[in-house]
Amino acid sequence: QVQLVESGGGLVQAGGSLRLSCAASGRTFSSYVMGWFRQAPGKEREFVACIGGSGVMTFFSDSVKGRFTISRDNAKNTVYLQMNRLKPEDTAVYNCAANIRNRGLMTYGYYDYWGQGTQVTVSS
């Protein structure tokens, strides 16, 4: 069992930055992939980024590549999503998720545990 708690969402103007955090508990944090997904009103859930257990491997969606970075601190059981040059189309509820089997890294159905979500709103 893994418990995930996100924080750091909020309202920001276009071009600004936010950093989301996701604190995990319950299993050996460094053993599994962590991902971020988002869902805007009326749209399907979308993969944003993921990071391997050691922090070396990362993947990003094309829509955020070059603007967002993902990192993790295994000593603190926390994963971060640094979001820069934010756009109004980044507005969504952002969820972190744990992928225990380390498969299907960009597919939400392969993620086993989810946080409650944090709202990010980017004004134009």
Side-chain angles (χ1 to χ4, degrees), residues 29-34 51-57 72-74 102:
F29 183 66
S30 61
S31 68
Y32 52 86
V33 168
M34 289 295 298
I51 185 168
S54 66
V56 174
M57 179 278 295
R72 65 193 295 162
D73 185 338
N74 288 341
N102 296 336

Side-chain angles (χ1 to χ4, degrees), residues 38-77:
R38 67 186 183 186
Q39 188 167 22
K43 295 188 176 181
E44 293 190 355
R45 188 176 299 176
E46 174 190 19
F47 168 79
V48 176
C50 68
I51 185 168
S54 66
V56 174
M57 179 278 295
T58 59
F59 289 111
F60 297 90
S61 68
D62 288 343
S63 60
V64 307
K65 198 174 296 182
R67 299 188 297 122
F68 291 12
T69 59
I70 187 171
S71 61
R72 65 193 295 162
D73 185 338
N74 288 341
K76 295 182 178 179
N77 286 5

Side-chain angles (χ1 to χ4, degrees), residues 9-10 17 26 47 49 67 93 106 115:
S17 298
F47 168 79
R67 299 188 297 122
V93 174
M106 290 179 276

